[in-house]
Amino acid sequence: MRDLVQNVYQAKDTETALNLLNQHQSEAKILAGGTDLIIQMREGNVSPPVLIDISSIHETREIKEQSNTIELGSTATFTDIEKHILFNHCLSAIAKAARSIGSPQIRNRATVGGNLCNASPAADMLPPLLAMDAMVVLKSKHQTRVLPLSEFVTGKEQTLLQVDELLEKIRFQNLTSNEGLGFSKLGIRNALAIARLSMAVYLEWDENHMCKNVRIASGALGLNAQREWDVERFMKGKHLNNSLFAEVAALLEESTMKRLAGRNTMNFKRYAVQGVFKQALDEALEGMDRRKDS
Ligand SMILES: Cc1cc2nc3c(=O)[nH]c(=O)nc-3n(C[C@H](O)[C@H](O)[C@H](O)COP(=O)(O)OP(=O)(O)OC[C@H]3O[C@@H](n4cnc5c(N)ncnc54)[C@H](O)[C@@H]3O)c2cc1C
């Protein structure tokens, strides 16, 4: 590492981590799994004098459901997520996103909190959590803020996280009947590759197969993972059938061409986005069928 870290603290609980953040402010960086931060430090992109290691805090590693609200602790690793019973059935798209990340060694260390706070355009947990309309709970010594994840991520590797704040947990409503979530990712030929394109689709429909609500989020289709608001507006209130899906695919192609104009990935992604969308959509619809049968 180019510049020497002066102090590394191992925080055993959230309160200790928050006190340390309050004391050291912008001098300090949170270290969770270290799979992004250590690389950035080795490359000399960041050189924090103080590291606050939160990887052994138990309270932030919990994954639980209470009154239909799921709370996903920020230090839960991808292995924790992949194996958790809550993500084995209706929300299996979240386990699928976790399973698609890196290698088993990376998944054992890397955390969901690190993925969100690092906010890479290709961060794989962002699309499914954006599609679930998740909220992030940010804690500092003096206050707690709860923000929509869609507002928390503001650009490429940019978030609204303050220097004295810790992402404590992510919160979202579990699915009920007539709702489904799907996730699809392209670009995993090399198991260690970062996603080249990913998409998550949340759907709610009524008994006549009308689209009551939809949330679509893409990864690596611009500067940051994002909700596809125009497509969502277009789908809402319409009958879910193949002609609608074809129209949506065309819309996605058009917006990809605009968004990636001038980039050499545009020609590939304008077509790829349609297949990735269709896969995520089919998975969301399958989720609904599975529930009907169970
Ligand atoms: C070989 C390899 C393959 C990879 N493959 C993928 C992939 O396929 N898909 C993918 O999305 N990513 C991939 N990654 C990236 C990485 O593993 C993830 O982004 C991971 O989730 C980061 O989590 P972490 O716990 O390691 O974060 P860290 O590296 O510890 O931290 C990352 C950043 O977030 C901050 N931070 C971490 N936790 C918190 C918190 N609770 N509150 C406030 N700030 C916090 C840190 O200060 C730092 O700035 C890969 C990385 C490697 C090295």
Side-chain angles (χ1 to χ4, degrees):
M1 314 235 174
R2 224 162 272 181
D3 289 303
L4 289 182
V5 176
Q6 289 157 14
N7 281 307
V8 181
Y9 297 99
Q10 182 89 49
K12 291 274 177 256
D13 52 42
T14 311
E15 196 188 343
T16 310
L18 295 179
N19 281 334
L20 286 164
L21 277 172
N22 186 56
Q23 190 185 332
H24 296 283
Q25 301 275 321
S26 58
E27 298 265 278
K29 268 271 180 205
I30 293 284
L31 177 76
T35 60
D36 281 322
L37 185 60
I38 298 295
I39 290 174
Q40 290 158 4
M41 289 171 67
R42 278 206 191 119
E43 288 171 351
N45 300 329
V46 281
S47 44
V50 175
L51 287 177
I52 305 169
D53 183 348
I54 59 167
S55 61
S56 49
I57 301 184
H58 291 296
E59 65 218 42
T60 53
R61 195 165 168 173
E62 245 190 307
I63 303 172
K64 60 181 182 197
E65 182 181 16
Q66 222 166 18
S67 320
N68 207 43
T69 300
I70 293 182
E71 291 199 339
L72 177 52
S74 67
T75 53
T77 65
F78 294 125
T79 303
D80 295 337
I81 294 171
E82 191 185 337
K83 298 207 162 134
H84 201 278
I85 189 157
L86 273 173
F87 306 126
N88 272 352
H89 188 51
C90 311
L91 283 171
S92 59
I94 290 183
K96 184 180 175 189
R99 206 176 307 117
S100 79
I101 290 169
S103 60
Q105 292 89 332
I106 293 290
R107 293 198 290 279
N108 285 339
R109 284 212 62 81
T111 65
V112 60
N115 200 246
L116 269 43
C117 291
N118 194 57
S120 147
D124 279 313
M125 288 314 286
L126 275 168
L129 293 172
L130 283 167
M132 289 304 290
D133 214 10
M135 308 291 285
V136 289
V137 181
L138 308 172
K139 263 199 157 171
S140 68
K141 185 175 163 69
H142 302 294
Q143 65 165 352
T144 299
R145 298 195 293 153
V146 182
L147 296 179
L149 178 59
S150 57
E151 289 174 21
F152 176 68
V153 178
T154 54
K156 185 171 188 251
E157 290 153 18
Q158 301 291 319
T159 69
L160 292 179
L161 189 77
Q162 305 283 313
V163 287
D164 62 344
E165 279 179 331
L166 181 81
L167 168 59
E168 187 192 29
K169 58 189 158 196
I170 301 109
R171 204 183 263 161
F172 53 94
Q173 295 298 298
N174 199 350
L175 298 173
T176 55
S177 54
N178 289 0
E179 292 177 297
L181 178 75
F183 172 79
S184 174
K185 166 174 165 179
L186 195 76
I188 49 170
R189 188 170 300 176
N190 168 356
L192 301 182
I194 296 285
R196 275 180 294 164
L197 184 54
S198 63
M199 195 161 271
V201 175
Y202 155 90
L203 264 183
E204 184 191 5
W205 50 87
D206 66 14
E207 57 285 0
N208 300 317
H209 236 64
M210 296 287 269
C211 175
K212 276 178 80 176
N213 198 4
V214 58
R215 292 188 292 266
I216 301 171
S218 60
L221 206 57
L223 287 182
N224 51 282
Q226 59 197 294
R227 288 275 295 274
E228 299 291 339
W229 303 101
D230 290 345
V231 182
E232 294 177 11
R233 272 190 288 274
F234 179 79
M235 279 183 81
K236 242 178 240 177
K238 297 202 170 120
H239 201 245
L240 294 167
N241 56 28
N242 286 338
S243 83
L244 176 68
F245 303 152
E247 284 179 288
V248 171
L251 252 185
L252 281 167
E253 180 185 6
E254 198 183 304
S255 71
T256 302
M257 287 168 71
K258 273 195 205 135
R259 212 177 283 167
L260 303 183
R263 297 216 219 153
N264 45 17
T265 53
M266 188 269 275
N267 259 335
F268 158 68
K269 288 194 177 176
R270 61 181 280 203
Y271 298 113
V273 71
Q274 302 178 57
V276 170
F277 164 71
K278 187 67 176 55
Q279 260 186 9
L281 178 84
D282 285 347
E283 201 174 281
L285 290 164
E286 271 165 31
M288 172 246 222
D289 293 340
R290 264 206 307 274
R291 227 140 343 119
K292 265 198 315 205
D293 298 342
S294 62

